[in-house]
Amino acid sequence: MTRRGGRAASAGAGRPTANLGVQRWCRSATLEGNTTVTGTTKVIGIIGDPVSHSLSPQLHNAAFEACGLDIVYVPLPVGARAVGAAVQGLAALGLRGANVTIPHKGAVVPYLSSLDDDARLLKAVNTIVVDGDEMRGYNTDVEGVRGSLEEAVGAGLHGATGLVFGAGGAGRAAALALARMGVRVTIVNRTAAAAERLAALISAAVPGAGCRWLALSDLTAAEVVAQRVVVNATPLGMAGAGKVPAPLVDTVTAGQVVFDVVYTGGETDLLAQARARGANVVDGLSMLVRQAAVAFELWTGERAPLKVMQDAIARR
Ligand code: NAP
């Protein structure tokens, strides 16, 4: 069992607020301060398998602490067979909510009371808010993609071409975000049927989107060169997950925006090569912070401290 080094109790200094039943403690905004767990501390978790690699505990605990919120964020490893019990347990145990990560973003859906529009459309939930017996599911990954892209290139992608490699949870979020930004999206996926389904879903959901699809085996260098935005939304590039296929990595050029949803200890191979060729790169940490900021606001009703969140994962 790992002990929290040097974290001392400081419960006497608190002053409650009315906000969502969460106590606010009078302490300064500090990243290294004294997070305290008391009898009134609210708990938020991350459900997934595995979750040990997740940066979300660092990111959210720094944010709660900096905002003086009496909330602690914990990893909750949950196997596939325990998903229903785990989601129902959130309310039973009085948690304020949870994040959901791979592979449970779809599996949690049947256990929730309601879904926001994006979660319902994509059949993927990455954030749960618990309000008494009610559990609401949200998809904040879509805003994570939109916010990171807009930060990198502004709002000027309307009419541009974009390729999304992957049709899983991250691919669906990326395709929807890009289509809403006015990008003409092509979905590329190893399993062609999943690409076809996603293209149909996006075309139906976003008026005028006209989303295309291609099987990965049909992807050519010319197709990649024709794109203004290229997104890797597969796990390829993570340690042990294999490499992003050559037509993508070897063909990205200056003038393109290359976005890798994967986050690793350093820069992914795709982004390193794209940067070396003069492309504008967007990394998975940027998306992680953006989707986390929306989740933070859903749980607390407060504006998320973006800079604190960015610094917390930069120090990992
Ligand atoms: P997912 O739902 O399991 O989807 C995986 C996708 O990758 C599918 O399209 C799958 O294709 C494709 N794929 C997997 N292995 C492949 C291979 N060897 N060759 C070709 N394609 C392959 O996973 P996800 O939730 O989308 O997550 C994908 C990645 O995004 C993960 O690394 C995750 O950590 C990351 N992510 C990052 C953030 C962030 O905030 N930065 C947020 C969400 C996810 P098939 O359909 O053919 O199986």
Side-chain angles (χ1 to χ4, degrees), residues 53 101-103 105 126 141 144 165-172 188-192 194-195 216 232-236 238 241-243 245 259-263 283-289 291:
H53 68 290
T101 187
I102 42 173
K105 288 183 181 181
N126 76 331
D141 283 336
F165 174 40
R172 281 179 271 166
V188 178
N189 198 49
R190 175 179 61 181
T191 306
L216 179 58
N232 173 41
T234 73
L236 299 179
M238 286 174 77
K243 292 186 168 185
F259 183 176
D260 199 340
V261 303
V262 167
Y263 56 85
D283 66 20
L285 289 175
S286 168
M287 175 179 171
L288 182 76
V289 168
Q291 62 77 29

Side-chain angles (χ1 to χ4, degrees), residues 163-242:
L163 184 154
V164 175
F165 174 40
R172 281 179 271 166
L176 182 59
L178 283 171
R180 286 195 184 136
M181 294 171 88
V183 174
R184 289 179 286 127
V185 178
T186 301
I187 317 283
V188 178
N189 198 49
R190 175 179 61 181
T191 306
E196 185 175 11
R197 276 196 303 275
L198 179 55
L201 185 140
I202 299 297
S203 297
V206 183
C211 191
R212 301 165 61 227
W213 64 274
L214 275 178
L216 179 58
S217 50
D218 294 333
L219 181 64
T220 60
E223 187 75 46
V224 178
V225 169
Q227 308 298 326
R228 167 94 168 92
V229 184
V230 173
V231 182
N232 173 41
T234 73
L236 299 179
M238 286 174 77

Side-chain angles (χ1 to χ4, degrees), residues 295-315:
F296 179 99
E297 291 173 12
L298 288 167
W299 293 319
T300 67
E302 298 207 9
R303 197 175 180 81
L306 272 181
K307 177 77 168 66
V308 169
M309 291 173 149
Q310 282 158 349
D311 288 350
I313 53 176
R315 291 179 298 122

Side-chain angles (χ1 to χ4, degrees), residues 79-274:
R81 285 169 36 186
V83 169
V87 174
Q88 283 154 355
L90 298 175
L93 292 169
L95 270 71
R96 174 65 189 136
N99 277 133
V100 185
T101 187
I102 42 173
H104 302 325
K105 288 183 181 181
V108 299
V109 167
Y111 304 100
L112 300 172
S113 329
S114 62
L115 300 176
D116 79 342
D117 289 348
D118 288 350
R120 189 177 313 109
L121 182 69
L122 301 179
K123 298 185 178 62
V125 165
N126 76 331
T127 302
I128 298 172
V129 176
V130 182
D131 245 332
D133 288 340
E134 197 189 332
M135 285 188 286
R136 297 191 293 272
Y138 297 83
N139 188 305
T140 71
D141 283 336
V142 181
E143 174 56 22
V145 172
R146 191 206 64 78
S148 341
L149 270 173
E150 193 171 289
E151 184 182 27
V153 293
L157 290 176
H158 200 276
T161 49
L163 184 154
V164 175
F165 174 40
R172 281 179 271 166
L176 182 59
L178 283 171
R180 286 195 184 136
M181 294 171 88
V183 174
R184 289 179 286 127
V185 178
T186 301
I187 317 283
V188 178
N189 198 49
R190 175 179 61 181
T191 306
E196 185 175 11
R197 276 196 303 275
L198 179 55
L201 185 140
I202 299 297
S203 297
V206 183
C211 191
R212 301 165 61 227
W213 64 274
L214 275 178
L216 179 58
S217 50
D218 294 333
L219 181 64
T220 60
E223 187 75 46
V224 178
V225 169
Q227 308 298 326
R228 167 94 168 92
V229 184
V230 173
V231 182
N232 173 41
T234 73
L236 299 179
M238 286 174 77
K243 292 186 168 185
V244 174
L248 273 170
V249 179
D250 297 346
T251 318
V252 290
T253 61
Q256 288 185 318
V257 179
V258 180
F259 183 176
D260 199 340
V261 303
V262 167
Y263 56 85
T264 62
E267 197 161 51
T268 60
D269 189 39
L270 172 65
L271 290 191
Q273 298 221 35

